[in-house]
Amino acid sequence: MLTVHHLQRSQSERIVWLCEELGNDYELKTYPRDPKTMQCPPELQALHPTKAAPVIQDGTITLAESGAIVEYILTKYGNGKLRVSPDADNYTDYLYFLHFGNGYFMPAVLAYAPYLRGTLVYSEGNIGAFFANRNFKQALEILNDRLKTTQWLAGDEFTAADVMNVFVMTTVRMFLPYSLEGYDAILAYLERVIKREAFVRAMNKSDPGFAPLIAADPKTSKV
């Protein structure tokens, strides 16, 4: 049986959610963060050289990295669910947003973190500050513009592309509390997400008592 190793309040929530959406059997092993360092415990670090979650085990296979895990589970256990056929008109939309979360969105948020902490100030000629500011705002604009015209990121149907991106719009803001003020299409999208039965089950299993940060101002959300 597939075993999912989940660090609470981390990107491994994606894998729990994916498994719940697919409705497949899996074993969930949950680990709390160290309250002082916020790191994962030694037993989870020992599973893979990344020393981080998510990690899955399937027979003799141990695999890390959210994107790789999502593709593995979809290929081996998905039975065509939560994917878009290469023949479909929106296949490239699906492919783009499937990789957008970790390939562009998350790096943009991390690069913007010094702004949130007040340690980076935009000034003319500061190339690093320019790109950090531009890429962060551009990422949100890409998502917001897309969601003005579609229910889900790949189109009318919910897919793994949504699974890969929601974490960066929600749980990440517990650590990097950026605002979604003015991004109404994203906020409406998050309201749709939290109504999905599989999402509710996944959060209840993986992080009981943790309310998703879906408000425009993350500081007003109950954690």
Side-chain angles (χ1 to χ4, degrees):
M1 180 184 291
L2 180 71
T3 300
V4 177
H5 297 273
H6 165 62
L7 177 66
Q8 291 186 319
R9 302 186 184 186
S10 81
Q11 63 179 319
S12 53
E13 70 183 38
R14 293 163 161 164
I15 311 307
V16 184
W17 183 17
L18 179 72
C19 290
E20 290 296 324
E21 290 282 355
L22 292 174
N24 293 338
D25 292 333
Y26 68 102
E27 179 184 7
L28 177 62
K29 293 188 176 181
T30 302
Y31 306 81
R33 288 182 179 272
D34 184 291
K36 292 183 179 180
T37 67
M38 296 303 288
Q39 294 184 20
C40 57
E43 59 269 31
L44 178 53
Q45 292 190 34
L47 293 176
H48 193 273
T50 58
K51 297 184 179 181
V55 175
I56 62 166
Q57 292 177 310
D58 191 19
T60 61
I61 294 171
T62 298
L63 184 63
E65 290 296 330
S66 294
I69 291 171
V70 166
E71 296 239 31
Y72 175 87
I73 292 175
L74 289 176
T75 300
K76 190 165 183 180
Y77 298 108
N79 295 316
K81 297 178 183 176
L82 304 185
R83 305 180 91 165
V84 172
S85 168
D87 299 327
D89 291 341
N90 63 328
Y91 173 67
T92 53
D93 295 321
Y94 163 74
L95 199 61
Y96 175 74
F97 284 106
L98 179 68
H99 294 279
F100 182 85
N102 273 6
Y104 189 90
F105 191 15
M106 188 65 188
V109 172
L110 292 175
Y112 191 73
Y115 275 101
L116 297 172
R117 300 188 181 108
T119 58
L120 181 64
V121 179
Y122 179 82
S123 62
E124 188 174 352
N126 187 333
I127 300 300
F130 168 79
F131 281 109
N133 184 64
R134 188 203 68 172
N135 291 354
F136 171 73
K137 293 180 178 179
Q138 193 164 267
L140 292 178
E141 288 168 1
I142 288 170
L143 290 165
N144 199 63
D145 288 346
R146 175 64 176 170
L147 292 167
K148 287 178 181 177
T149 60
T150 61
Q151 284 284 100
W152 305 104
L153 289 174
D156 294 334
E157 301 294 329
F158 178 89
T159 68
D162 301 290
V163 173
M164 284 298 296
N165 282 276
V166 167
F167 164 76
V168 192
M169 304 179 212
T170 55
T171 305
V172 162
R173 297 197 296 147
M174 171 185 169
F175 304 97
L176 301 171
Y178 68 86
S179 174
L180 288 174
E181 190 70 39
Y183 298 100
D184 294 344
I186 292 178
L187 294 171
Y189 168 76
L190 294 178
E191 290 287 350
R192 294 193 292 275
V193 166
I194 64 169
K195 293 176 182 176
R196 295 189 67 83
E197 293 181 2
F199 180 82
V200 174
R201 289 196 306 270
M203 295 305 294
N204 286 339
K205 289 181 179 181
S206 61
D207 292 84
F210 176 55
L213 278 66
I214 64 166
D217 181 355
K219 296 176 183 177
T220 64
S221 296
K222 296 179 180 180
V223 181

